[in-house]
Amino acid sequence: MLSRVADSLYWTSRYLERAEHTARLLGVGLNQMLDQTPVSVQPRWQRLLDALHTAAPSDGLNDHAIVRMLTFDPGTSMSIVACVTAARENAQQVREQISSEMWEQLNRLYLHVKQTDIDQIWQAEPQEFLQSVKEGAHLFQGVTDATMSHGEGWHYIQVGRYLERAGTTALLLDLNFQPHMAAATPEQSPLDYIDWVALLKCCTAFEAYCKVYTAEVKPAYVAEFLLLSETNPRSVRFAVDRVQRSLQALGKATGGRGAGRAERIAGRLSAQLDYAQMDEIMDGDLPAYLEGIRSQCHLIHQMIYQSYISYSIEAALVQ
């Protein structure tokens, strides 16, 4: 497969995952407003912005300004419109490599986002728009699995989706546990029950969590479920495992090129998560552990580029 094709498929998937992630976090943030006190408003919005690598809007941390910026501001890299537009542009470059159903679904989502503005959704119901974005991204994933050959191109899409997911989940955990771990005692933690439930909902994992731990929401249990669960599709461990599987498939499909690079790092991270114990992680330095995961995800991304996308002609001839 041509490197430009691999690059476009990879980023189409990553950008759609980002759009869905932004919509999910905004939806949870708006729901939290119903239960929060004036003191908790700014810290919660700031954590959301930090999770999306986005600076606060110039007119302050108010719900309207944040929603407007993260939905329809094309200049904000993590906004829904920016991510969906970037995903469509990448897909358009490889139109012949994806199915007609995939292109139609992505184009439908793009037109829906472009034809809507903040005044429309604010006067009606912002949650309905955010839900439509999440469903649009989910439909694209389902259509992809159902209509695209599960060859090289499909695996690049999987790597992009799950690598993005592993990094964002690790960052969410980090941002929530840093203030919690900094408190002298658990009782002095600035995060309360609503914050931990919101963290689970940011990863669409609250109902799945309750099936495992009942409704007893404890920070250590939340961390274990979002970090080490092998069945939760939003956990870091699950995402890294899917990245490793697709990189193994790509290594075989390309005759071993890159197998000792990206695949090796993903395999090492997967093994680390497979054999990790939550009590040992919590007794140590959880923020540093999560930062290490994010660093390894970034390294996997770099190795994917070196192995499959931006490799030199000399390297290709050696292979």
Side-chain angles (χ1 to χ4, degrees):
M1 175 173 287
L2 294 175
S3 59
R4 67 167 184 82
V5 174
D7 189 37
S8 292
L9 292 172
Y10 173 78
W11 279 109
T12 295
S13 184
R14 288 200 71 155
Y15 279 125
L16 267 185
E17 183 73 17
R18 287 181 188 179
E20 195 263 351
H21 182 66
T22 299
R24 197 163 6 92
L25 265 61
L26 274 177
V28 173
L30 289 172
N31 278 335
Q32 273 190 293
M33 290 176 56
L34 303 175
D35 300 304
Q36 64 191 1
T37 63
V39 177
S40 62
V41 172
Q42 289 204 350
R44 286 172 174 169
W45 279 126
Q46 189 59 57
R47 280 199 300 274
L48 183 148
L49 291 169
D50 290 342
L52 297 174
H53 303 284
T54 303
S58 57
D59 42 354
L61 288 174
N62 66 83
D63 51 343
H64 183 275
I66 290 172
V67 172
R68 173 182 52 77
M69 179 180 68
L70 289 174
T71 50
F72 301 113
D73 181 7
T76 301
S77 62
M78 288 295 290
S79 73
I80 292 171
V81 69
C83 291
V84 172
T85 300
R88 182 180 180 273
E89 288 174 352
N90 276 278
Q92 192 169 29
Q93 294 177 27
V94 289
R95 178 66 187 83
E96 72 286 354
Q97 297 290 332
I98 62 176
S99 67
S100 298
E101 292 85 355
M102 290 169 65
W103 172 250
E104 289 168 4
Q105 172 55 31
L106 182 52
N107 209 40
R108 190 179 301 117
L109 176 59
Y110 168 78
L111 292 174
H112 172 59
V113 171
K114 294 293 285 186
Q115 292 170 0
T116 313
D117 58 44
I118 185 62
D119 293 331
Q120 288 177 268
I121 70 169
W122 202 255
Q123 292 172 6
E125 175 53 64
Q127 293 288 7
E128 290 184 10
F129 171 77
L130 297 173
Q131 183 64 27
S132 70
V133 173
K134 291 186 288 184
E135 289 176 353
H138 294 160
L139 278 171
F140 181 83
Q141 294 172 2
V143 168
T144 299
D145 290 346
T147 64
M148 185 179 186
S149 175
H150 288 205
E152 284 185 66
W154 183 82
H155 284 294
Y156 281 114
I157 289 175
Q158 301 308 301
V159 170
R161 177 193 306 170
Y162 286 109
L163 193 58
E164 183 73 23
R165 187 174 299 182
T168 54
T169 302
L171 179 58
L172 275 174
L173 279 167
D174 190 15
L175 291 171
N176 281 269
F177 273 90
Q178 278 190 24
H180 175 73
M181 303 290 282
T185 64
E187 291 74 22
Q188 295 177 338
S189 172
L191 278 71
D192 56 21
Y193 176 85
I194 294 174
D195 290 305
W196 298 116
V197 171
L199 174 58
L200 288 167
K201 289 184 176 180
C202 281
C203 301
T204 55
F206 180 64
E207 293 182 7
Y209 172 93
C210 290
K211 290 180 172 65
V212 177
Y213 299 98
T214 69
E216 186 179 16
V217 180
K218 293 184 176 181
Y221 293 166
V222 172
E224 182 176 49
F225 192 64
L226 294 180
L227 184 60
L228 301 180
S229 172
E230 63 179 328
T231 56
N232 171 24
R234 291 281 170 182
S235 78
V236 176
R237 179 182 178 184
F238 186 99
V240 170
D241 178 65
R242 292 305 185 274
V243 170
Q244 183 196 15
R245 292 185 187 184
S246 285
L247 287 175
Q248 287 176 336
L250 287 171
K252 292 178 181 177
T254 57
R257 176 164 53 86
R261 299 171 184 174
E263 183 187 334
R264 184 176 62 228
I265 300 168
R268 184 172 61 219
L269 179 56
S270 180
Q272 173 188 326
L273 293 166
D274 286 348
Y275 294 100
Q277 295 293 323
M278 200 62 227
D279 54 348
E280 296 176 0
I281 297 173
M282 294 294 289
D283 289 341
D285 190 341
L286 177 60
Y289 187 87
L290 294 168
E291 176 61 31
I293 290 174
R294 290 164 53 209
S295 296
Q296 289 183 75
C297 287
H298 182 64
L299 188 56
I300 292 170
H301 165 77
Q302 290 180 319
M303 291 300 102
I304 289 170
Y305 260 71
Q306 289 184 21
S307 302
Y308 300 111
I309 297 172
S310 298
Y311 56 87
S312 66
I313 296 176
E314 292 78 9
L317 289 174
V318 170
Q319 296 291 341

